[in-house]
Amino acid sequence: MIAGEEVSLENPWRKPTEAENLIFSKLVFSKELDKCEDLFLKEIYKNTYIAACKKANKKWNFYYVMPYENDITGLSSEVEDDITPPN
């Protein structure tokens, strides 16, 4: 993110569209991350998301995703603690 950009964690979680799911799956594969069993997205800025990914161990993992930059990054545990997972 660029300094001074406004981001919002207030937007609701939503299921990804088919196209978003495909993009996310490619990013996960390219970074050799474990596949998600359940995936939700929260747009925090234009074309920038927080992804909530439930793994096989039933734990939510969160990622900062910029699909048009082909970038996905895990969030620190401190940031994850401030995020409410999807219901």
Side-chain angles (χ1 to χ4, degrees), residues 3-74:
E5 284 182 349
E6 259 190 64
V7 298
S8 173
L9 292 177
E10 300 305 314
N11 290 335
W13 289 108
R14 64 174 178 80
K15 291 296 258 180
T17 65
E18 191 173 318
E20 289 169 334
N21 202 20
L22 181 61
I23 291 168
F24 185 81
S25 296
K26 287 180 181 178
L27 286 172
V28 166
F29 180 77
S30 73
K31 299 290 186 176
E32 299 179 5
L33 301 170
D34 292 335
K35 185 178 176 188
C36 297
E37 288 189 2
D38 205 5
L39 174 66
F40 287 85
L41 298 175
K42 179 185 291 249
E43 190 168 26
I44 60 170
Y45 188 71
K46 185 177 180 176
N47 297 319
T48 304
Y49 303 88
I50 297 291
C53 175
K54 189 179 275 188
K55 304 287 184 160
N57 63 3
K58 305 300 181 196
K59 179 183 181 290
W60 286 104
N61 292 97
F62 299 97
Y63 299 94
Y64 179 74
V65 183
M66 294 186 300
Y68 296 105
E69 303 289 328
N70 289 321
D71 190 30
I72 182 170
T73 306

